[in-house]
Amino acid sequence: MDTIASLFSFITTPVSWVIVQFHTVYGAIFGPDTGWAWGLSIVSLVILIRICLIPLFVKQIKATRAMQTLQPEMKKIQERYKNDKQRQSEEMMKLYKESGTNPLSSCLPILAQSPFFFALYHVLNGIASGQTIGVINTSLLESARKAHIFGAPLAAKFKDSASTIEALGASVTDVRVVTVVMIVMMSASQFYTQRQLMTKNVDTTVKTPFMQQQKMLMYVFPIMFAVFGINFPVGVLIYWLTTNVWTMGQQMYVIHNNPTPGSKAQAAYLERLTKHVSQHGKVRRRSEKTIVKAIVAKGRDRNEFERKFINGLTKAGLAAQADGTVVKSESQALAQAEDGTATAVATAARRQQPKRQTKAQRQSGTTRPADEGPSLEKSDDEPQDDVKPAAAKQPQKPGSGTRSKAQSGQRKGGPQRPKSPSKK
């Protein structure tokens, strides 16, 4: 670790200068030799670095989503050229070039802050060994060696010997308890950050090797932090714990406001957006307009959650536009006309529909009302084919068909049937 840190000694002076400036401010409040002054100086260094890395973080998000989109195509290339590694690499590079994606973009924040991390390690290691480094002179070196965080010196490590820790004015128990607690917090924050990414902000509709890789990193990274953490000084543990907490909060903000399409986070976000737009009838924030614009542009390629969002707006009488705004749909505007014409026309159209005949009317051939269509009766000009007018007008019972003039219970010819059976 010392060899790696020495490679970044060129940035040691700027890092030590920033720490000293923050120490001057916090030293005036808490005292120059306190752990709060030096500890908060390290925390402020982390915050300053992470603010400067926000543009790289945005690129990381875009690159990660682009890689998720390309996973199906990458899998096809791997299967097609599985026996030709050179051709496989060429096709992969061609795919990256056509889509404008760089796989290294997802690692930019980590790569960018690595020099600062090792420079800080180099500074704290110099404090532990009693050597001036960067802009930290002899007086500042003595002040930093006296600074303790919950009884543990900033330059102490978990694996330091008892004599080294006693020279810094602390006990082995205090140092190991503080370092263990900070290592556990550092690993737990890293695990939660990665788990939050995998469970909420990953497209669940596409199963790709990228997801399996991220799932593996969810368990590998915390173990790596735990193993390397015992070799870090307390000040470096403060640095890494602070940057993990920053990353966790930054990621929570992104997941809440700009989730990955197809993820559970997008389903929750679009549900909230549907309720908000239905209540207010418009989209207020620019980020919301950008998301609505992207959903409209997809057309038939929308996922399940995006189709549900569009249907929810339709039920509320609203329609999403290509520019990301939301307006009232034409049917809703017509129904809410001030003069009430739309409602009257729709009601009149429903009333003009013909009424359905009963079964008895259809079988008897009786006439319909004049407004329900043509009559089933024959006109007076047509011959009646030996049927009396009175009989034609008499309605028939359902299921009887064309019955004879004889009454029920009598035969048409021959002896009559008794009305009731005789009793013996």
Side-chain angles (χ1 to χ4, degrees):
M1 183 66 71
D2 295 338
T3 304
I4 298 174
S6 61
L7 296 176
F8 296 94
S9 58
F10 66 92
I11 202 173
T12 299
T13 300
V15 169
S16 61
W17 182 84
V18 172
I19 292 177
V20 169
Q21 301 308 310
F22 282 121
H23 174 261
T24 302
V25 176
Y26 294 122
I29 301 174
F30 302 102
D33 299 337
T34 60
W36 286 106
W38 286 99
L40 289 176
S41 299
I42 296 174
V43 172
S44 300
L45 172 68
V46 176
I47 294 174
L48 178 62
I49 294 173
R50 295 309 300 266
I51 290 175
C52 295
L53 294 179
I54 286 178
L56 295 181
F57 180 75
V58 174
K59 288 185 178 180
Q60 179 191 21
I61 295 174
K62 293 181 179 179
T64 302
R65 293 183 180 178
M67 290 295 294
Q68 290 177 352
T69 305
L70 293 178
Q71 286 302 310
E73 298 296 329
M74 294 171 61
K75 191 174 181 180
K76 291 179 182 178
I77 293 175
Q78 291 173 353
E79 293 176 353
R80 184 179 302 174
Y81 305 104
K82 59 183 178 181
N83 297 325
D84 190 351
K85 298 297 182 182
Q86 182 177 357
R87 183 67 184 277
Q88 186 182 115
S89 301
E90 292 175 356
E91 292 296 326
M92 287 288 189
M93 296 303 296
K94 183 179 178 181
L95 179 63
Y96 293 149
K97 186 176 181 180
E98 291 176 352
S99 60
T101 304
N102 187 357
L104 296 178
S105 298
S106 58
C107 304
L108 283 177
I110 296 177
L111 295 175
Q113 66 177 324
S114 295
F116 300 97
F117 169 78
F118 288 111
L120 177 63
Y121 179 90
H122 194 46
V123 170
L124 293 175
N125 194 48
I127 293 174
S129 58
Q131 298 177 355
T132 58
I133 186 169
V135 298
I136 297 179
N137 52 30
T138 304
S139 60
L140 290 174
L141 178 63
E142 291 299 325
S143 175
R145 288 174 65 86
K146 294 177 183 178
H148 292 66
I149 300 293
F150 301 110
L154 290 176
K157 307 174 188 176
F158 179 87
K159 296 178 67 176
D160 282 345
S161 62
S163 58
T164 302
I165 295 175
E166 288 176 1
L168 295 173
S171 65
V172 176
T173 303
D174 292 339
V175 171
R176 292 186 176 177
V177 169
V178 171
T179 52
V180 166
V181 171
M182 296 186 72
I183 289 171
V184 170
M185 293 175 63
M186 185 175 62
S187 300
S189 61
Q190 178 65 35
F191 176 79
Y192 180 79
T193 301
Q194 193 68 20
R195 186 176 183 275
Q196 180 181 233
L197 179 66
M198 290 298 302
T199 57
K200 294 183 179 180
N201 206 38
V202 172
D203 187 356
T204 57
T205 60
V206 180
K207 303 297 182 182
T208 62
F210 180 78
M211 293 178 60
Q212 298 298 328
Q213 179 184 2
Q214 293 296 317
K215 188 175 182 180
M216 181 182 65
L217 293 177
M218 181 173 65
Y219 297 98
V220 171
F221 273 158
I223 296 175
M224 290 177 58
F225 277 112
V227 172
F228 291 113
I230 60 177
N231 296 311
F232 290 162
V234 173
V236 173
L237 293 178
I238 294 174
Y239 174 95
W240 208 254
L241 177 60
T242 305
T243 193
N244 280 359
V245 172
W246 178 280
T247 302
M248 183 172 61
Q250 190 171 244
Q251 185 171 272
M252 289 176 65
Y253 176 82
V254 172
I255 291 175
H256 187 270
N257 294 281
N258 191 16
T260 300
S263 63
K264 293 181 179 179
Q266 189 196 33
Y269 176 83
L270 292 180
E271 185 177 353
R272 295 193 306 268
L273 184 59
T274 302
K275 293 180 180 179
H276 167 75
V277 175
S278 299
Q279 291 177 357
H280 299 86
K282 62 180 180 179
V283 180
R284 294 185 299 180
R285 293 188 294 181
R286 182 180 299 178
S287 59
E288 294 175 349
K289 289 184 179 180
T290 303
I291 291 177
V292 173
K293 181 179 179 180
I295 293 174
V296 173
K298 286 185 178 181
R300 294 182 178 180
D301 296 333
R302 300 185 188 111
N303 58 44
E304 177 186 357
F305 309 129
E306 293 166 348
R307 288 193 296 268
K308 187 177 179 181
F309 169 71
I310 296 296
N311 293 336
L313 293 182
T314 303
K315 291 179 181 179
L318 301 171
Q321 303 300 305
D323 60 351
T325 58
V326 173
V327 298
K328 289 185 178 181
S329 60
E330 295 181 0
S331 58
Q332 183 74 6
L334 188 63
Q336 293 180 355
E338 294 181 358
D339 55 359
T341 304
T343 305
V345 170
T347 305
R350 287 195 298 268
R351 289 180 180 177
Q352 288 178 0
Q353 296 178 356
K355 295 182 180 179
R356 186 175 180 179
Q357 285 183 312
T358 62
K359 186 176 181 180
Q361 289 175 336
R362 291 195 301 271
Q363 292 179 348
S364 63
T366 55
T367 59
R368 296 183 181 181
D371 58 345
E372 293 187 5
S375 174
L376 298 177
E377 251 186 333
K378 292 184 178 181
S379 63
D380 295 339
D381 297 336
E382 297 178 359
Q384 296 300 319
D385 296 335
D386 298 333
V387 179
K388 293 182 180 181
K393 294 181 180 179
Q394 182 179 359
Q396 298 180 4
K397 295 182 180 180
S400 62
T402 306
R403 301 186 65 180
S404 63
K405 298 177 182 179
Q407 295 180 355
S408 174
Q410 294 182 351
R411 297 193 178 189
K412 194 171 183 181
Q416 301 296 321
R417 179 185 296 171
K419 293 184 178 179
S420 59
S422 61
K423 296 181 180 180
K424 292 184 180 180

